[in-house]
Amino acid sequence: MDIILFGPPGAGKGTQAKRLTGALNLPQISTGDMMRAERASGSDLGKQFDDYMSKGLLVPDELVLALFGKRLAQPDAAKGAILDGFPRTVAQAEALDTLLESLGRRIDTVVSMEVSLDEMIERVVLRRTCEGCGQIYHLRYNPPPSQGACGKCGGKLVQRADDTEEVVRKRYEEYLTKTAPILEHYRKKGVVKSVDGLGGLDEVEGRIKASIAPPPPDQT
Ligand code: AMP
């Protein structure tokens, strides 16, 4: 099963993708996390990613597709994956469809997580991420047990450099112009499910699970 968690920055894609991995027994593939890891390694590729990420701009499709293709070929993604932050352009979506088709797979569900612009900015600005394990906290709604340290691994909690209001507004603009059109692409295939992204973590997780559950068998 291949699922896309779709939505603007701060919709909760990363948080919910991590929660769903256990229940669905599928890996999370986050191109953003992969790019941050590459950047942290200090490689030339990581520096190229950072040129775009720090400005709130999308990384060019060729670079993203090379990164994603390698990840999808890993054995843990052989039966499917939860895609978080990918695809982000219609060209990426088309390349993804072709890649999956070559594996005899297809996108089963695009879960479109809906949140308002104000809510999104508040979430992103108050988001803190663990440098060690990537766990995500929100200072108000999902605070870490101790300030500055991850409750899962004890790693240092940091604010992502692109989680400032100014960069988030740019990211949102990129989302509206380049990413949102993907929904139409998948609506035509009949696989888009809209989910209210507002509410507690368990509540939103429940809505996502309900949206990806197969329809009940026809009992007539
Ligand atoms: P995220 O962690 O998904 O919020 O992504 C953070 C940043 O990484 C984005 O603002 C982009 O600069 C870059 N990025 C992540 N995934 C993609 C993608 N699929 N296409 C282009 N840029 C991406």
Side-chain angles (χ1 to χ4, degrees):
M1 180 160 60
D2 289 281
I3 292 165
I4 297 174
L5 286 191
F6 186 89
K13 303 184 294 289
T15 301
Q16 292 296 340
K18 284 184 178 55
R19 291 178 143 235
L20 289 168
T21 52
L24 302 178
N25 198 21
L26 294 173
Q28 168 197 16
I29 299 186
S30 158
T31 41
D33 282 353
M34 291 162 70
M35 287 173 192
R36 279 184 286 279
E38 192 66 45
R39 188 175 60 182
S41 79
S43 71
D44 282 349
L45 182 62
K47 287 191 189 100
Q48 283 187 58
F49 290 153
D50 188 54
D51 282 345
Y52 297 94
M53 295 169 82
S54 58
K55 298 186 186 96
L57 299 173
L58 291 186
V59 169
D61 290 338
E62 318 80 75
L63 293 179
V64 183
L65 288 169
L67 189 77
F68 178 79
K70 269 195 224 152
R71 179 64 187 89
L72 194 73
Q74 300 289 309
D76 65 335
K79 292 219 165 71
I82 302 165
L83 308 184
D84 152 22
F86 179 90
R88 259 185 160 101
T89 62
V90 172
Q92 288 179 23
E94 286 168 348
L96 170 66
D97 294 347
T98 306
L99 186 59
L100 288 178
E101 206 180 316
S102 73
L103 300 168
R105 285 155 53 180
R106 61 192 279 274
I107 291 297
D108 295 283
T109 311
V110 177
V111 181
S112 175
M113 301 176 65
E114 318 222 314
V115 293
S116 69
L117 175 62
D118 286 349
E119 171 73 15
M120 185 204 109
I121 289 176
E122 209 241 32
R123 283 189 186 190
V124 170
V125 171
L126 293 180
R127 170 160 66 188
R128 295 294 179 272
T129 309
C130 174
E131 261 187 349
C133 70
Q135 181 69 24
I136 301 166
Y137 296 94
H138 183 283
L139 291 183
R140 191 171 309 146
Y141 301 122
N142 179 27
S146 84
Q147 232 194 354
C150 176
K152 242 174 111 184
C153 76
K156 189 174 158 205
L157 297 184
V158 293
Q159 180 173 26
R160 274 170 46 177
D162 60 347
D163 273 353
T164 60
E165 181 163 347
E166 194 194 340
V167 181
V168 167
R169 285 191 184 272
K170 188 70 210 167
R171 287 163 65 196
Y172 189 61
E173 218 179 283
E174 289 279 85
Y175 168 78
L176 286 182
T177 55
K178 298 180 184 159
T179 306
I182 290 178
L183 271 189
E184 198 41 44
H185 171 84
Y186 283 113
R187 272 208 183 98
K188 287 188 197 138
K189 297 176 188 282
V191 293
V192 176
K193 296 275 168 59
S194 294
V195 161
D196 182 359
L198 215 69
L201 297 182
D202 290 340
E203 209 178 333
V204 176
E205 184 182 344
R207 288 182 202 137
I208 295 176
K209 281 184 176 154
S211 79
I212 59 185
D218 191 352
Q219 290 174 0
T220 56

